[in-house]
């Protein structure tokens, strides 16, 4: 693969193989959002709904990342900030709805959770494999990797929650997983926003130096 010559800590996505993989992963995530949101509504699983939103956020992230490739640093950084903000919003939404669901105390259907969780896990492991070689780079590229990683971790958690719900006949494990996923969203949002801020400051330094000389 030619990625080895394009790679650096500031890899910006200007690689045809990376673009093809990014388009494939985008299609996978949009498809899984539709599947999981329907399954979450059918089974009453808050964790599946949270994971579906993760897929949706990732689909938007990947499409925006593809659009930002090759554009000026300021544009790429702005795209990363927008994605970080969307992850922050998703994390808050999941946290709030999980707290609301806690008082409803509905027990989700573990069989649906497990079956769909397994399908989602396969989709995410495939996505992680496709993007593994491109996990380092600027904030735009880094946000893609973090979202893919979140999906894989989230699906493992959903599978564990499905098993615990089946054994305990209690919806609390489902709600705990949703809460953990909300924390993961918030953590990724923080990482993306901080890296975006550093890159924006770095991109401004030459301009400030030139103005200082005049």
């Amino acid at each position: 693969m030619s990625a080895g010559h394009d790679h650096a800590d500031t890899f910006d996505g200007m690689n045809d193989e990376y673009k093809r993989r990014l388009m494939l992963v985008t299609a996978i995530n949009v498809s899984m959002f539709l599947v999981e949101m329907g399954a979450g509504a059918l089974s009453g699983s808050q964790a599946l709904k949270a994971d579906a939103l993760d897929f949706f956020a990732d689909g938007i992230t990947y499409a925006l990342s593809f659009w930002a490739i090759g554009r000026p640093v300021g544009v790429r950084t702005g795209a990363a900030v927008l994605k970080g903000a969307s992850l922050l919003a998703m994390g808050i939404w999941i946290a709030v709805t999980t707290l609301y669901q806690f008082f409803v105390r509905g027990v989700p259907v573990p069989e649906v959770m497990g079956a769909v969780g397994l399908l989602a896990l396969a989709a995410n492991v495939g996505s992680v494999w496709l993007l593994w070689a491109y996990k380092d780079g600027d904030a735009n590229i880094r946000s893609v990797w973090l979202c893919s990683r979140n999906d894989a971790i989230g699906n493992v958690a959903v599978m564990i929650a499905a098993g615990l719900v089946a054994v305990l006949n209690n919806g609390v494990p489902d709600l705990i997983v949703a809460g953990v996923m909300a924390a993961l969203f918030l953590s990724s949002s923080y990482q993306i926003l901080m890296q975006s801020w550093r890159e924006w400051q770095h991109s401004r330094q030459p301009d400030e130096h030139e103005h200082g000389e005049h």
Side-chain angles (χ1 to χ4, degrees):
M1 163 164 44
S2 62
H5 296 292
D6 295 333
H7 255 218
D9 289 339
T10 55
F11 174 62
D12 60 2
M14 291 298 291
N15 177 285
D16 290 339
E17 178 64 19
Y18 176 75
K19 292 178 182 178
R20 284 192 292 270
R21 294 187 182 202
L22 186 56
M23 286 190 289
L24 178 58
V25 170
T26 300
I28 290 172
N29 277 264
V30 171
S31 299
M32 285 308 304
F33 160 69
L34 297 174
V35 170
E36 274 204 315
M37 187 56 77
L42 179 66
S43 66
S45 169
Q46 191 69 7
L48 277 182
K49 292 178 183 178
D51 200 47
L53 283 175
D54 195 5
F55 274 117
F56 179 71
D58 287 354
I60 294 176
T61 291
Y62 300 150
L64 188 57
S65 295
F66 187 86
W67 172 83
I69 289 174
R71 297 182 183 274
V73 175
V75 174
R76 298 200 309 272
T77 301
V81 168
L82 181 59
K83 288 179 286 184
S86 69
L87 285 172
L88 176 62
M90 289 290 185
I92 293 173
W93 187 90
I94 292 171
V96 171
T97 55
T98 297
L99 288 174
Y100 172 79
Q101 188 75 8
F102 178 79
F103 295 101
V104 176
R105 294 184 181 278
V107 179
V109 181
E111 293 80 8
V112 176
M113 285 180 65
V116 177
L118 184 61
L119 176 63
L121 179 60
N124 281 319
V125 168
S127 297
V128 168
W129 178 78
L130 287 169
L131 296 172
W132 178 265
Y134 304 93
K135 63 186 178 68
D136 297 316
D138 63 18
N140 186 45
I141 302 304
R142 181 67 175 165
S143 65
V144 170
W145 166 248
L146 287 173
C147 288
S148 300
R149 184 207 64 182
N150 286 359
D151 274 351
I153 293 173
N155 287 133
V156 171
V158 168
M159 295 294 293
I160 293 173
L164 291 175
V165 168
V167 171
L168 302 175
N169 191 31
N170 189 296
V172 172
D174 178 66
L175 300 179
I176 292 174
V177 167
V180 170
M181 291 175 66
L184 196 60
F185 268 109
L186 297 175
S187 173
S188 295
S189 172
Y190 174 80
Q191 291 181 55
I192 293 170
L193 291 174
M194 288 299 97
Q195 184 173 352
S196 299
W197 172 249
R198 290 192 299 269
E199 290 180 4
W200 182 82
Q201 286 184 311
H202 181 73
S203 69
R204 297 287 296 174
Q205 285 177 0
D207 292 337
E208 292 173 356
H209 180 68
E210 289 174 5
H211 288 312
E213 290 181 345
H214 292 297

